[in-house]
Amino acid sequence: GNIMVDFKAIRAQFPILDQEIHGHPLVYLDSAATSQKPNAVIDAEANFYRTINAGVHRGAHELAARSTMAFEEARAKVAKLVGANAAEGEEEVVVTGGATAGLNLLATAFGNASLGRGGEAAKRFALKPGDEIVVSRAEHHSVLLPFQELSYRTGATFKWIDLTEDGRVRTDNLDEVITERTKVVAVTHVGNATGAITNIAPIIKRAHEVGSIFILDACQSVPHLKVDFHALDVDFAAWSAHKMYGPTGVGFLYGKRDLLEALPPANFGGSMVELAYMDHEAQYMAPPARFEAGTQPVAQVVAAGVAAEWMMNIGLENIEAHEKTIAAELLKLGDVDGIRILGPRENVDRIGTVAFDVAGVHPHDVGQFIDAQGIAIRVGHHCAQPVHRHFGLYASNRASSGVYNSVEDAQALVEAAKGIRKFFGVE
């Protein structure tokens, strides 16, 4: 990759970072929750409203045409970012309200297929008692809960792949967990609590061996790694714009074209129906429109396209290399007395997301102590309670990096962490 990237100049593109918190310069280490936005993205959203705001795919007036064009161009940029380039009319990226909405869309659509909706083509998504749904113990609740609910609704058995001691998704017993009865496998690409990059290749291979659908939660990989859904051979993948330097309120669902064509809709309303009648069944549009009922968050999608382009201009290899340097510094938290890292200790096959536990101090107290020094980290269970139970905890602290972080940011956190136990009198 090109090592001439000036990350100091990149940081300067984020207006929110230019402020003081409690009298200290802001150090933002909570990108796994939401990333900050560069001016290019903020301006793109505002300029859309100033210049071409109109409904897309409806209306023949000029603004509607321009708006539709901007919307579809943004979809193509996002598709390119994740290696899902498609011929026109063969789009494989669906706009959703976020990764959570995308995962729920799938679980709902599979449930609809299980009721016989979508006809013959949709039978491959149908579940019944005796079938199995497999996730991992590392899942965010947005994967865990929709598919657990789907198992309750259909009577399918809910199973999971367990974790190694340091929180990685195991791949040594896949033949036992993923069986001939498995119909759906849904796994995270990168653990949102542990930062561990899942070794997904053998999981995808095993899922396809038994004829299962494989779904990837790519929320924590798309912003940090170069991902290529075609090369990975995933069937579906969900991720959100707000973690990839884009706006809130929007996300994307990738699906192989033939699968999207067979999938019944999950949400119903305007712009997803070809023909609607009072007295017989509606005829739904081809994907992606079939899954995009209602008025789209067009300004946000356009800005997400700008975010995707902005990331590609920096180069995903460069982002990855930069964040690896930050991760190395954050991992020094593990050298501080009384601090335990939850997740891989080595800077290998992981991203710059480091969760930690401070012996004898509640995570909320840790968070307040750190925040008082102008440093933003996440406290709580990070919507991943089963992972915390795996480590014998209910909550933790989590530092997570982004393209705008510096080595100094990470060092500031490690320095602050050295004073925690003394301050709370538990040394």
Side-chain angles (χ1 to χ4, degrees):
N2 168 15
I3 51 164
M4 299 307 292
V5 178
D6 182 353
F7 283 96
K8 231 188 174 81
I10 287 170
R11 182 193 180 95
Q13 296 176 37
F14 290 82
I16 199 168
L17 299 177
D18 191 25
Q19 63 178 303
E20 291 204 337
I21 302 284
H22 306 309
H24 299 270
L26 168 61
V27 171
Y28 186 79
L29 288 168
D30 196 17
S31 296
T34 199
S35 62
Q36 298 304 343
K37 327 299 172 194
N39 280 318
V41 169
I42 298 168
D43 294 345
E45 187 172 338
N47 287 337
F48 176 87
Y49 288 129
R50 289 199 179 100
T51 57
I52 58 170
N53 180 52
V56 299
H57 295 304
R58 40 167 113 48
H61 60 77
E62 182 57 24
L63 288 188
R66 287 181 197 174
S67 181
T68 299
M69 192 177 286
F71 180 73
E72 292 304 334
E73 278 172 2
R75 187 198 306 272
K77 286 174 192 170
V78 171
K80 188 177 176 190
L81 175 72
V82 295
N85 310 42
E88 202 169 338
E90 294 293 305
E91 287 89 356
E92 296 183 305
V93 172
V94 173
V95 171
T96 65
T100 304
L103 293 159
N104 277 280
L105 185 161
L106 287 177
T108 301
F110 291 4
N112 291 347
S114 306
L115 297 172
R117 302 298 299 149
E120 197 59 38
K123 282 193 173 152
R124 64 171 95 183
F125 308 113
L127 291 148
K128 58 186 188 308
D131 291 340
E132 297 168 349
I133 297 171
V134 174
V135 300
S136 83
R137 192 188 286 276
E139 298 315 307
H140 188 281
H141 296 167
S142 296
V143 176
L144 173 66
L145 300 177
F147 290 101
Q148 199 172 48
E149 283 293 329
L150 178 62
S151 79
Y152 296 141
R153 290 202 303 276
T154 58
T157 306
F158 189 74
K159 297 167 73 176
W160 56 92
I161 307 167
D162 233 312
L163 308 180
T164 61
E165 202 179 330
D166 64 355
R168 291 189 181 279
V169 178
R170 284 176 57 180
T171 53
D172 57 343
N173 62 340
L174 294 176
D175 291 4
E176 295 158 43
V177 187
I178 300 171
T179 74
E180 298 297 329
R181 302 183 119 177
T182 304
K183 289 287 177 70
V184 179
V185 178
V187 175
T188 185
H189 201 177
V190 176
N192 79 305
T194 61
I197 300 173
T198 309
N199 179 14
I200 55 174
I203 307 175
I204 295 169
K205 185 170 176 282
R206 177 61 182 159
H208 288 158
E209 246 166 45
V210 299
S212 170
I213 300 280
F214 182 87
I215 300 163
L216 188 68
D217 170 4
C219 273
Q220 301 291 349
S221 59
V222 170
H224 306 287
L225 312 170
K226 195 171 175 66
V227 300
D228 184 331
F229 294 145
H230 284 172
L232 289 168
D233 196 28
V234 299
D235 297 313
F236 293 101
W239 71 105
S240 48
H242 75 97
K243 289 182 179 20
M244 51 168 265
Y245 310 105
T248 54
V250 67
F252 304 95
L253 175 68
Y254 161 80
K256 287 181 179 168
R257 185 68 197 182
D258 62 320
L259 292 177
L260 288 178
E261 283 170 357
L263 193 69
N267 300 298
F268 302 85
S271 287
M272 53 74 66
V273 63
E274 206 80 71
L275 298 165
Y277 308 91
M278 295 309 290
D279 54 0
H280 69 91
E281 207 177 324
Q283 193 180 316
Y284 299 119
M285 292 179 90
R290 179 191 304 161
F291 305 105
E292 298 179 356
T295 299
Q296 288 311 312
V298 190
Q300 289 74 15
V301 170
V302 168
V306 169
E309 200 167 41
W310 183 87
M311 288 170 68
M312 289 186 281
N313 284 340
I314 295 170
L316 273 296
E317 314 79 4
N318 296 322
I319 292 175
E320 199 173 326
H322 174 70
E323 290 184 14
K324 200 167 185 65
T325 312
I326 311 299
E329 293 298 322
L330 289 175
L331 284 165
K332 291 178 184 171
L333 284 163
D335 302 330
V336 179
D337 239 19
I339 291 186
R340 165 165 74 124
I341 284 176
L342 316 178
R345 278 295 312 267
E346 290 74 43
N347 197 10
V348 178
D349 293 329
R350 59 142 43 254
I351 65 166
T353 291
V354 180
F356 60 98
D357 178 51
V358 182
V361 187
H362 192 282
H364 290 135
D365 291 333
V366 172
Q368 276 183 312
F369 176 82
I370 297 292
D371 177 61
Q373 299 175 57
I375 304 171
I377 61 169
R378 172 84 188 262
V379 303
H381 53 64
H382 323 314
C383 310
Q385 290 178 9
V387 182
H388 281 84
R389 287 194 200 100
H390 173 77
F391 290 112
L393 299 167
Y394 288 102
S396 69
N397 309 279
R398 181 186 71 186
S400 54
S401 69
V403 67
Y404 33 66
N405 287 119
S406 61
V407 164
E408 290 76 17
D409 288 348
Q411 287 168 341
L413 174 63
V414 175
E415 273 315 301
K418 288 175 183 169
I420 297 168
R421 296 178 81 235
K422 185 174 186 168
F423 179 84
F424 289 102
V426 293
E427 272 199 317

